[in-house]
């Protein structure tokens, strides 16, 4: 008899990771998504910090979700350790939320602020967003890294700050697109409704793919390819 392969929709919510360097606006992005999606989806959040629960307290004080749906993991080491090398603390926290709230549609996991090498293990998240911001410098996207090049989505955040920090946003987005090939890039500002709509639409499309059982988590890898300037 020939073998038959069936695709089954998963019985758990989408797990979406958000990572990137310190100060790029990861917590604010998660707060934004909670405000946009909480009216139609069941949400929960897991934050990571080395020694504090500050990001979780920020989200609770912002009132974006019921406080008990926002949990904190204190990593005790570099944040990438807890999202990639030893995911046990995060995985247990996510599974506790999924058990307590069986109707969950989406769990957002925020990495603690790390450097350009931070990526999530595909054993922890189904898809991941890497966040840069224009205040970090217009050349950051061009310099690359595993998250910049191969995360499921790259967000260039705080585009409204560009006039104050001397960054050419179209050039930065073009550099990001060149580094990523056909992977999506969104320039995001809380003052730009169209950019918010694009982010929400991307999340909803990923959730539909995961619910249909066709989303395959892809590992961006811990290292980026090395490119010399003379190769451009």
């Amino acid at each position: 008899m020939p073998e038959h392969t069936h695709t089954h929709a998963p019985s758990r919510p989408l797990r979406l990771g958000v990572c990137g360097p310190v100060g790029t606006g990861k917590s604010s992005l998660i707060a934004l998504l909670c405000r946009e999606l909480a009216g139609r989806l069941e949400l929960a959040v897991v934050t990571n910090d080395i020694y504090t629960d500050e990001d979780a307290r920020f989200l609770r004080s912002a009132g974006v979700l019921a406080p008990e749906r926002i949990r904190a993991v204190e990593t005790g080491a570099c944040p990438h350790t807890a999202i990639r090398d030893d995911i046990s603390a995060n995985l247990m926290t996510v599974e506790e939320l999924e058990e307590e709230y069986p109707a969950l549609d989406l769990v957002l996991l925020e990495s603690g602020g790390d450097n350009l090498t931070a990526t999530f293990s595909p054993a922890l998240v189904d898809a991941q967003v890497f966040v840069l911001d224009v205040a970090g410098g217009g050349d950051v996207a061009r310099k690359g890294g595993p998250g910049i090049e191969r995360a499921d989505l790259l967000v260039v955040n705080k585009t409204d700050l560009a006039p104050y920090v001397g960054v050419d946003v179209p050039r930065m987005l073009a550099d990001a697109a060149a580094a990523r090939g056909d992977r999506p890039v969104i320039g995001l500002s809380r003052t730009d409704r169209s950019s918010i709509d694009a982010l929400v639409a991307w999340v909803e499309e990923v959730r539909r793919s995961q619910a249909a059982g066709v989303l395959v988590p892809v590992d961006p890898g811990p290292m980026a390819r090395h490119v010399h300037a003379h190769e451009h």
Side-chain angles (χ1 to χ4, degrees), residues 215-232:
L215 178 65
V216 179
V218 176
D219 187 357
M223 299 294 290
R225 62 186 178 86
H226 187 68
V227 177
H228 295 281
H230 66 263
E231 294 178 35
H232 291 287

Side-chain angles (χ1 to χ4, degrees), residues 14-31:
L14 173 68
R15 300 170 181 173
L16 180 63
V18 179
C19 60
V22 175
T24 54
K26 298 181 296 296
S27 297
S28 295
L29 186 148
I30 286 175

